Amino acid sequence: MLAPLAALHLTAMSRRYFCPHPIEFTAESPCVVSLEGPESHHLSTVMRVGAGDRLTLFDGSGAEFDAEVLEIQRRGPARLLVRTRDEVSREPPVTLTLGVALPKGDRQKVLVDMLTQIGVAKLVPLVTEHSVAAPKASGIDKLRRAVIEASKQCGRNRLMTIDEPAPLAKFFGAVQADCKVIAHPGDEEPSRAPASGSVAIAIGPEGGFSDEEVAAATAAGWGTLRLGKSILRIETAAIAAAAAYAVST
């Protein structure tokens, strides 16, 4: 038997579904949308939702929608009537962009899941001198699906975007942010989190950034971020850094 808190968690998660297309809803003109693929399968086969059931949709625009199931098929699309639209923001006050030299294997999904929950706006896989993983297009697609699943669970109505992998030098030059920091130990005072605006953080591989990469960051105007005395795994460092800036305000 589920404990009360676990039951509430399961209910909240099971009622949220992602619509990959913009939901064109107005109060004067309710609309009907279709869910296909994994979302339709989850509705019909896993949750056994039926016609007349109510649930929450989100399309990544920042809003969430109350919808009623009109028709559901075991191996086909589900049709839903959208009844209301509400702007519900669960984003942190600081817009976070993280460039991360991805870890290997399943640790990538853990990283994406946690960063989504924290409220990171964009993840850029970095190609560095000591990188150990070079994700392919299929791997990036799986990580983007993991963003959707994490957003369903945590209640975010905007999806964290995952860019194509980028060389570190390109990331340093392309990012526009009020505060830009590289996770690297140093003697100088670390950069402080702003109360609002935007922050970019670069997280290196477990071998660390090379001296040349750190010098390039400094030359590009990036500050430093110290994450304690321990040597952290990539995902641990990224999660700790994102959380420090997301909750510091």
Side-chain angles (χ1 to χ4, degrees):
M1 183 176 179
L2 286 172
L5 286 178
L8 284 172
H9 176 78
L10 179 62
T11 301
M13 180 179 176
S14 63
R15 286 191 65 249
R16 284 177 51 85
Y17 295 86
F18 177 67
C19 180
H21 309 294
I23 298 176
E24 305 292 343
F25 172 86
T26 64
E28 297 76 23
S29 179
C31 64
V32 174
V33 299
S34 294
L35 293 185
E36 301 180 357
E39 296 299 86
S40 177
H41 172 77
H42 191 247
L43 273 170
S44 62
T45 305
V46 180
M47 301 310 302
R48 300 187 182 277
V49 170
D53 288 345
R54 301 286 280 269
L55 50 85
T56 299
L57 298 176
F58 68 106
D59 61 0
S61 66
E64 58 187 30
F65 305 82
D66 177 59
E68 178 184 344
V69 178
L70 297 178
E71 179 186 9
I72 193 162
Q73 306 175 54
R74 194 167 182 82
R75 288 184 175 85
R79 296 176 63 249
L80 301 97
L81 174 65
V82 180
R83 293 188 171 276
T84 63
R85 179 184 191 278
D86 294 302
E87 287 287 340
V88 181
S89 176
R90 300 185 177 97
E91 302 300 299
V94 172
T95 301
L96 289 167
T97 297
L98 258 69
V100 182
L102 296 182
K104 289 183 177 179
D106 292 342
R107 291 164 56 195
Q108 294 180 10
K109 187 175 183 297
V110 172
L111 170 71
V112 166
D113 182 273
M114 296 297 182
L115 294 185
T116 300
Q117 292 184 54
I118 290 169
V120 171
K122 179 186 290 188
L123 171 64
V124 182
L126 295 180
V127 179
T128 70
E129 289 188 30
H130 300 153
S131 289
V132 295
K136 299 179 181 179
S138 59
I140 296 294
D141 287 342
K142 288 180 180 179
L143 294 181
R144 287 171 178 153
R145 181 65 203 178
V147 171
I148 293 173
E149 295 303 320
S151 298
K152 289 164 63 175
Q153 180 272 323
C154 72
R156 282 188 74 178
N157 290 320
R158 292 193 182 277
L159 298 181
M160 179 179 76
T161 60
I162 301 180
D163 283 4
E164 295 301 314
L168 184 61
K170 181 179 179 181
F171 179 72
F172 285 155
V175 171
Q176 300 295 319
D178 301 321
C179 174
K180 296 184 285 188
V181 294
I182 179 173
H184 183 75
D187 296 329
E188 66 274 22
E189 275 297 306
S191 299
R192 303 298 181 183
S196 61
S198 55
V199 173
I201 307 170
I203 304 291
E206 283 169 2
F209 290 116
S210 69
D211 292 341
E212 291 78 10
E213 288 171 331
V214 175
T218 302
W222 288 60
T224 59
L225 173 66
R226 296 199 297 266
L227 294 172
K229 298 179 180 180
S230 301
I231 298 174
L232 304 179
R233 285 178 174 245
I234 297 167
E235 64 272 32
T236 306
I239 293 162
Y245 280 83
V247 305
S248 64
T249 54

